[in-house]
Amino acid sequence: MKYLKKQGIFLIIFLVIVGSIAFSSIRNTPQNMDYSRLLTEIQSGNVNSIVLQSDMAEVQLNKALDQNNELTKYEVTVPPDITSASDRFTQAADNQLIKSYSITQPLTMPWWSQIVLAVGFIILLSIWFAVNQKKQGGGLGGNRAMELGKSRAKLSIDDQKTVSFADVAGADEVKEELEEIVEFLKAPERFVELGARIPKGVLLIGPPGTGKTLLAKAVSGEASVPFFSISGSDFVEIFVGVGASRVRDLFAQAKKNAPCIVFIDEIDAVGRKRGANMGGGNEEREQTLNQLLVEMDGFGINEGVIILAATNRPDVLDSALLRPGRFDRRVFVGLPDIKGREQILTVHAIGKPLADDVKLDEVARITPGFTGADLENLLNESAILTARGHKKEIDNEIIKEAAFKVMMGPEKKSHVMSDKDKKLTAFHEAGHAIAIKLASSCRNVDRVTIIPSGMAGGYTASRPSEDQSYHTKSQMIEEIIIALGGRAAEEIILNEVSTGASNDLKRVNEIARNMVTKYGMSDKLANMIFVNENDGSFDGGDSGRAQSYSNEIASIIDNEVKQIIDHAYQRTLYLLRENISKLNRLANVLLVKEKVEGPEFESIFLAA
């Protein structure tokens, strides 16, 4: 688009110049005048100037004006018996009528300079058209078609932007696994002498934001080799054969720069199982995948080129892509633990002035489930809030506010709520908080607020006392009770329920159904699971397979899910009714203050 704008401006300027020259030449074209009239005009004193031009004379009259109020020019043809206008006026020099005029010979350009100007103008036009054709890919689009088949991979060999393992925190085991790849690239002869084969591919698997791309760059930086990066979607085109051509071109470039690393981000865009989906673009995608399989482990030699790929959907990848000889290693990049989060915060805190009350280990403790990208965003939001408040240091309170902003969204303090909605929200959130205090064995209330944030009318934030890798059946039931606390409080205090619990009910049904279908935690279907095959995604999506059980089993599953939810709801109602004074006291404080922090909640709970 930018190129077309430049070409358009150049073309407009060119047309304006040519048009101006043409218009000027038309306007300045002299009219014809007889020689006898010239003599008459001279005698009447109406001649302004006379300019000789070979056998012609260009004359301007004083009183003859054109439509632009300019003196009209006339051409006077010399009679046949006179050899030139110069001779004619020379013969008449003694005539007083002619002597009073300045008769000049016009300055003319040499013939060779006119040829030079014409040739230069033609060369300029030729260059412009040549550049135009090159940019657009040729007149018939042939070069443009060839460009489609070229790889879009970006080559990074700038040492000033090198990323090393020191820049990657919270993934020590993963770095140890990848350090072997670095050793292969640095000293391949040590392994070849022992008969070892260099790994051809490493697949990084994990949730979004855990640092898969950063790890790939670190491997390249540590090995000091060229790094090609491309997205899986860059291979896919509407034109058949383009994707396969781009794969060939990518590996051709990589082999020229070997040893090197080729990083394919989101490889599931091109590496999905063949034949899984029947559509217009399916054949093109399968051709691209087939070419990728051949390049990674086919008849060609691919020495010194290591393929790193990242995905959060390993369940949809083709089995031929995952076999040894192609992706020899699969490395899981999971969520960081509390120690890893502290290390990540330490890296991202460089260059940010932290106040003395900021303890990164405490920040790591209140951010379970955060990825590396989330933690980087947390400190960035903290810096923004600090600058907005015209402060010089990032303190602990600002980091806490930034954490809530990242999790829930910005607070909408200007949002006006009716007294009825405000009361409903206060008791709803108070119900959640009381349920956490009474039912949970591992969570503590961190904040209760009725100020709208993001898409929520209010929220109750809690944090686990420690990181957990597994959840027991009792802990999952506790989560259901906590989620039902808001709806139970509405029923007890207001004798009706609202739509505010829709997200809570969604989470409740999800937990209960997973207990029955994924974890075998039901009474009637104990130790049996009913999940889709190859369900290993990290994005919460469903693989779309049809259910692998009968309608009778489906009915039993529904009944078991309902029984779990109903039992948990009755338990929630009992806990809140037994502590109705605490529920009322917390809700009344929320109606006045709108926000209650964790320590204040503890004092309210103990005082009631």
Side-chain angles (χ1 to χ4, degrees):
M1 183 61 68
K2 184 177 180 181
Y3 165 75
L4 293 178
K5 288 182 179 179
K6 290 182 178 180
Q7 294 298 318
I9 293 173
F10 182 85
L11 183 59
I12 291 173
I13 295 174
F14 174 74
L15 292 177
V16 168
I17 294 174
V18 174
S20 300
I21 295 174
F23 183 70
S24 176
S25 64
I26 293 174
R27 285 182 51 197
N28 295 328
T29 301
Q31 302 180 20
N32 292 324
M33 178 186 291
D34 293 337
Y35 183 72
S36 59
R37 182 186 171 187
L38 171 62
L39 296 178
T40 302
E41 296 291 348
I42 292 175
Q43 292 175 359
S44 62
N46 192 30
V47 175
N48 178 272
S49 66
I50 299 174
V51 179
L52 302 181
Q53 295 180 352
S54 184
D55 60 347
M56 304 287 292
E58 187 177 274
V59 179
Q60 280 189 338
L61 302 181
N62 290 325
K63 297 180 180 180
L65 302 178
D66 60 13
Q67 60 182 357
N68 294 312
N69 205 30
E70 295 180 359
L71 293 175
T72 305
K73 293 181 181 181
Y74 294 90
E75 283 186 349
V76 181
T77 305
V78 178
D81 59 333
I82 303 299
T83 58
S84 69
S86 178
D87 296 337
R88 179 69 186 90
F89 283 101
T90 301
Q91 295 174 10
D94 295 334
N95 191 327
Q96 296 298 325
L97 297 175
I98 298 178
K99 190 187 300 183
S100 60
Y101 297 101
S102 175
I103 301 174
T104 59
Q105 190 73 25
L107 181 64
T108 58
M109 296 178 61
W111 63 270
W112 57 268
S113 63
Q114 297 180 16
I115 296 176
V116 170
L117 286 177
V119 172
F121 183 72
I122 293 173
I123 292 175
L124 179 63
L125 282 180
S126 301
I127 293 174
W128 179 76
F129 279 113
V131 173
N132 186 42
Q133 292 296 319
K134 183 177 180 180
K135 291 285 187 179
Q136 294 183 357
L140 298 177
N143 293 336
R144 181 63 175 169
M146 294 299 293
E147 290 289 334
L148 284 174
K150 291 189 175 181
S151 170
R152 297 181 180 179
K154 297 178 181 179
L155 175 61
S156 176
I157 54 177
D158 189 359
D159 295 336
Q160 295 180 355
K161 299 180 181 179
T162 299
V163 178
S164 66
F165 283 140
D167 300 312
V168 183
D172 295 338
E173 292 79 8
V174 176
K175 288 192 290 186
E176 291 178 3
E177 188 79 14
L178 296 177
E179 281 175 355
E180 294 183 8
I181 305 299
V182 175
E183 292 297 323
F184 273 120
L185 291 169
K186 284 185 174 180
E189 62 280 355
R190 288 169 41 201
F191 301 90
V192 174
E193 291 174 356
L194 298 175
R197 175 179 57 83
I198 184 172
K200 294 185 178 180
V202 178
L203 182 63
L204 303 176
I205 304 172
T210 51
K212 299 185 291 293
T213 303
L214 185 63
L215 282 166
K217 291 181 179 180
V219 172
S220 172
E222 291 286 342
S224 300
V225 297
F227 180 78
F228 291 88
S229 61
I230 190 171
S231 172
S233 60
D234 287 336
F235 292 110
V236 182
E237 272 287 354
I238 191 173
F239 304 107
V240 176
V242 172
S245 176
R246 287 178 178 172
V247 172
R248 287 192 295 270
D249 186 66
L250 170 63
F251 278 85
Q253 294 182 43
K255 291 172 184 177
K256 291 179 182 178
N257 291 273
C260 67
I261 292 175
V262 175
F263 176 63
I264 306 176
D265 200 8
E266 305 296 343
I267 194 174
D268 49 273
V270 68
R272 286 178 175 266
K273 297 175 182 175
R274 288 166 289 184
N277 298 308
M278 300 303 294
N282 191 59
E283 181 180 356
E284 162 64 7
R285 185 183 58 77
E286 288 192 1
Q287 287 186 12
T288 306
L289 174 58
N290 290 338
Q291 187 63 44
L292 180 62
L293 296 175
V294 170
E295 293 289 347
M296 290 188 67
D297 187 27
F299 290 103
I301 299 176
N302 199 24
E303 295 295 335
V305 179
I306 294 181
I307 310 299
L308 291 181
T311 182
N312 57 358
R313 294 296 308 274
D315 55 303
V316 302
L317 295 180
D318 194 274
S319 58
L321 196 63
L322 300 176
R323 74 162 176 81
R326 292 196 173 103
F327 282 109
D328 302 275
R329 297 188 179 185
R330 279 173 269 182
V331 180
F332 178 74
V333 186
L335 296 174
D337 56 14
I338 185 171
K339 180 181 177 181
R341 291 195 298 273
E342 182 180 354
Q343 294 173 352
I344 294 172
L345 287 168
T346 302
V347 171
H348 292 302
I350 297 175
K352 295 181 174 64
L354 301 180
D356 295 336
D357 63 341
V358 175
K359 307 297 181 184
L360 293 181
D361 57 340
E362 287 295 319
V363 178
R365 188 173 61 84
I366 65 173
T367 53
F370 275 45
T371 64
D374 293 330
L375 295 171
E376 189 276 336
N377 188 36
L378 169 63
L379 290 183
N380 184 63
E381 289 291 341
S382 301
I384 293 174
L385 290 176
T386 302
R388 187 183 300 173
H390 302 283
K391 297 182 179 180
K392 299 299 183 182
E393 291 183 329
I394 303 173
D395 57 33
N396 189 61
E397 188 64 26
I398 289 179
I399 292 180
K400 187 175 181 180
E401 287 297 326
F404 288 125
K405 183 179 180 181
V406 170
M407 290 186 292
M408 304 301 302
E411 291 185 343
K412 303 175 183 178
K413 296 182 179 179
S414 61
H415 182 71
V416 179
M417 298 176 63
S418 65
D419 293 338
K420 183 178 180 180
D421 287 345
K422 195 172 183 180
K423 180 179 179 181
L424 186 147
T425 305
F427 278 99
H428 182 100
E429 299 304 333
H432 283 307
I434 299 298
I436 292 173
K437 182 65 177 178
L438 296 174
S440 180
S441 59
C442 59
R443 303 186 73 85
N444 299 311
V445 174
D446 207 19
R447 171 181 288 183
V448 187
T449 178
I450 60 174
I451 301 174
S453 299
M455 298 182 64
Y459 64 88
T460 300
S462 61
R463 51 181 170 79
S465 55
E466 58 183 4
D467 286 354
Q468 292 180 307
S469 301
Y470 304 100
H471 293 84
T472 64
K473 180 179 180 179
S474 60
Q475 288 174 339
M476 299 186 75
I477 293 177
E478 290 172 4
E479 292 295 321
I480 295 176
I481 292 175
I482 293 171
L484 291 172
R487 188 179 184 89
E490 292 178 11
E491 181 177 336
I492 293 172
I493 302 300
L494 306 176
N495 294 321
E496 62 178 351
V497 293
S498 70
T499 59
S502 59
N503 289 331
D504 297 330
L505 294 178
K506 181 179 179 181
R507 172 157 176 74
V508 163
N509 279 267
E510 180 182 357
I511 294 174
R513 187 163 294 274
N514 286 338
M515 290 176 64
V516 176
T517 60
K518 285 188 176 182
Y519 309 125
M521 294 180 178
S522 67
D523 295 332
K524 293 184 179 180
L525 300 174
N527 302 323
M528 296 181 66
I529 60 173
F530 307 92
V531 295
N532 296 329
E533 296 180 7
N534 301 322
D535 186 10
S537 63
F538 295 97
D539 59 357
D542 196 349
S543 59
R545 291 177 174 268
Q547 64 182 32
S548 57
Y549 45 85
S550 65
N551 292 332
E552 289 77 11
I553 294 295
S555 178
I556 296 175
I557 291 175
D558 292 339
N559 290 332
E560 289 291 282
V561 170
K562 188 176 188 311
Q563 184 176 350
I564 292 174
I565 295 175
D566 288 345
H567 183 269
Y569 189 62
Q570 293 302 318
R571 176 65 178 168
T572 307
L573 289 173
Y574 172 79
L575 291 175
L576 295 184
R577 288 193 176 111
E578 289 294 312
N579 295 271
I580 191 67
S581 60
K582 302 180 187 297
L583 179 65
N584 285 320
R585 182 176 177 83
L586 177 58
N588 290 331
V589 173
L590 286 172
L591 288 172
V592 176
K593 303 183 65 174
E594 295 186 335
K595 184 188 297 184
V596 174
E597 301 295 339
E600 186 178 1
F601 166 77
E602 294 292 338
S603 62
I604 293 173
F605 185 86
L606 294 175

